[in-house]
Amino acid sequence: MKTSRRLGLIMIIIGAALWGISGPIIQWLFQQTTITSIDFLIIRLLLAGILILAVLSIRKQSIFAIWKEPHQWIQLVIFAIIGMLGAQYAFIETVRISNAVTATLFQFLGPVLITVYVAVQYKKLPSLIQLISIIIALSGIFFLITNGSIENIILTKIAVIFGLLTAIGFTFYTLQPASLIKKWGSPLIVGWGMLLAGIALLLFNRPFSFQAIANTLTFETSTMLFLAILSGTLSFVLYIGSLKHLSPMETSLLSSIEPLVAVIVSITWLNESFGGYQLIGGALIVAAVVALSLPEKELETVARERVS
C-alpha cells in the first residue's frame, strides 16, 4: 500500500471516529443546556476558524495569499457558505430535532449522491467492490438506525428536510474544495471556511452574546462544549485533508464508521438501547470499511486524477 494512500486511510478513519463522537456530545449539550443550534455553531465556527488560522500564521504560512486570487477566494466563499455552514447547520439541527444517530443516517445518503456524480461526471461505473461496499454500508446503516424495521423511524417533516440538506451539504463539501485543497492545503481551507461561515451566521443571527451564553454554562457543560468544538474541528481537517490521498467517493464511504461510533457512544454514555439488528448493522459497516481499505481500483484512480 502506498504511503499516500495509507495516510489518507488513517486520516479519514480518525476523522470519522471524531465526528461520530461529536454527535452524541452535541446531543447531550442540547439535553443539558438551553444553547441553540445557531449559538453552538457560531461558537464552534468562529473559535475553530480563528484557532486554525492562528496556528498556521505562527508556523509562518501566508494565510492571506488566497485573497489575492479572485477565482480562488470566490470558490472559498462558496465552500464556506454552502459546504461548511450548510452541512454543519443541517447536521446539528437534525441532531437537535431527532438524535445524533438519525442525523448520521441522513449524512450517509451522501455516498449515494457522490457515486451518482462520479458515474455521470467521469462516464465510468463504480468497480464491483465499490458497488458491493455501498450496498453493505447502506444496509448496515439501515439496520443501525431502524433495528430492522423502517417503521421504527418516526421523523417530522422538518427533520426530514434538514436530514436531506445534511446529505446534500456532505456531498458538496466532499467534492467542491478538491482543487482548493490541492493548492492551499486542507488546514487553510478549513480554517477560512469555518471563520467565514461563523461570521456569516453571526451577522444573520444578531444580536449574539458570548457572555450571555457563558453565564448559562457550568464547568461540566463548558468542558463538553470545548470537546464538541475540538472533535468537530479535527474531524473536518482530517476529512477534507484525506481528499488529497483518496477519491471523494472512497473517502465518503470509508467515513461510514461514523454511525458505528455514534451508536457505541450513545449506548455507553447516553444509555440508548441497541438491538440485535443494530449489532448486525455495525458488523456490516466494519466489513464495508475493510473492503474499501483494499488497493484502489481503476475508478478511484480516474476520479482522483480528474478531481485534482
Side-chain angles (χ1 to χ4, degrees):
M1 184 183 296
K2 295 182 179 180
T3 301
S4 176
R5 175 175 168 76
R6 184 180 296 110
L7 177 60
L9 291 173
I10 293 173
M11 292 175 72
I12 186 56
I13 290 173
I14 294 177
L18 288 174
W19 188 254
I21 292 171
S22 70
I25 294 177
I26 295 170
Q27 181 179 336
W28 182 89
L29 282 171
F30 287 143
Q31 293 172 350
Q32 301 296 323
T33 71
T34 58
I35 191 171
T36 67
S37 300
I38 293 179
D39 289 340
F40 172 78
L41 265 184
I42 290 175
I43 296 171
R44 169 194 265 184
L45 293 171
L46 289 179
L47 294 183
I50 291 172
L51 177 61
I52 293 174
L53 293 176
V55 171
L56 293 177
S57 182
I58 292 173
R59 295 174 60 183
K60 307 301 182 182
Q61 182 171 341
S62 178
I63 62 174
F64 296 103
I66 191 172
W67 295 98
K68 298 177 181 179
E69 302 184 28
H71 177 71
Q72 295 291 300
W73 68 254
I74 290 174
Q75 291 300 312
L76 176 61
V77 172
I78 292 173
F79 166 69
I81 303 302
I82 300 179
M84 183 66 71
L85 179 55
Q88 288 214 30
Y89 177 70
F91 178 85
I92 291 174
E93 189 66 9
T94 306
V95 171
R96 186 187 67 81
I97 296 171
S98 53
N99 57 64
V101 181
T102 299
T104 306
L105 168 66
F106 279 107
Q107 176 180 313
F108 276 86
L109 292 175
V112 177
L113 300 180
I114 290 173
T115 300
V116 173
Y117 172 84
V118 171
V120 174
Q121 184 71 15
Y122 306 122
K123 299 179 180 179
K124 279 185 174 292
L125 293 175
S127 63
L128 179 61
I129 187 65
Q130 287 184 325
L131 286 173
I132 293 174
S133 296
I134 290 171
I135 295 172
I136 292 175
L138 294 179
S139 298
I141 293 169
F142 172 81
F143 286 128
L144 276 173
I145 305 302
T146 67
N147 196 32
S149 174
I150 193 67
E151 295 179 357
N152 288 338
I153 298 181
I154 303 175
L155 298 174
T156 62
K157 291 182 179 179
I158 191 66
V160 173
I161 291 173
F162 276 108
L164 292 175
L165 289 175
T166 298
I168 295 172
F170 173 84
T171 303
F172 187 86
Y173 81 65
T174 299
L175 296 172
Q176 191 266 349
S179 61
L180 290 173
I181 292 169
K182 181 179 180 181
K183 182 171 183 177
W184 303 100
S186 59
L188 181 69
I189 299 305
V190 171
W192 275 117
M194 287 186 165
L195 181 58
L196 293 174
I199 292 173
L201 194 57
L202 179 61
L203 294 175
F204 174 77
N205 193 48
R206 299 175 70 182
F208 173 85
S209 173
F210 281 100
Q211 185 62 43
I213 293 175
N215 290 337
T216 66
L217 299 175
T218 64
F219 175 78
E220 183 181 18
T221 55
S222 296
T223 300
M224 298 308 294
L225 177 61
F226 172 77
L227 290 177
I229 293 172
L230 181 62
S231 61
T233 302
L234 290 177
S235 175
F236 264 76
V237 171
L238 291 171
Y239 180 88
I240 294 182
S242 70
L243 294 173
K244 295 179 64 175
H245 311 286
L246 304 171
S247 71
M249 183 169 63
E250 187 178 28
T251 298
S252 66
L253 288 170
L254 281 168
S255 64
S256 61
I257 66 171
E258 289 176 17
L260 177 60
V261 173
V263 167
I264 292 174
V265 174
S266 295
I267 291 172
T268 58
W269 184 37
L270 300 179
N271 297 319
E272 293 190 3
S273 60
F274 194 66
Y277 279 107
Q278 291 177 306
L279 287 171
I280 295 175
L284 289 175
I285 290 176
V286 172
V289 171
V290 172
L292 287 166
S293 298
L294 298 175
E296 290 179 312
K297 301 299 180 180
E298 180 181 356
L299 176 62
E300 284 84 358
T301 302
V302 172
R304 189 173 61 257
E305 291 175 352
R306 290 290 298 275
V307 171
S308 301

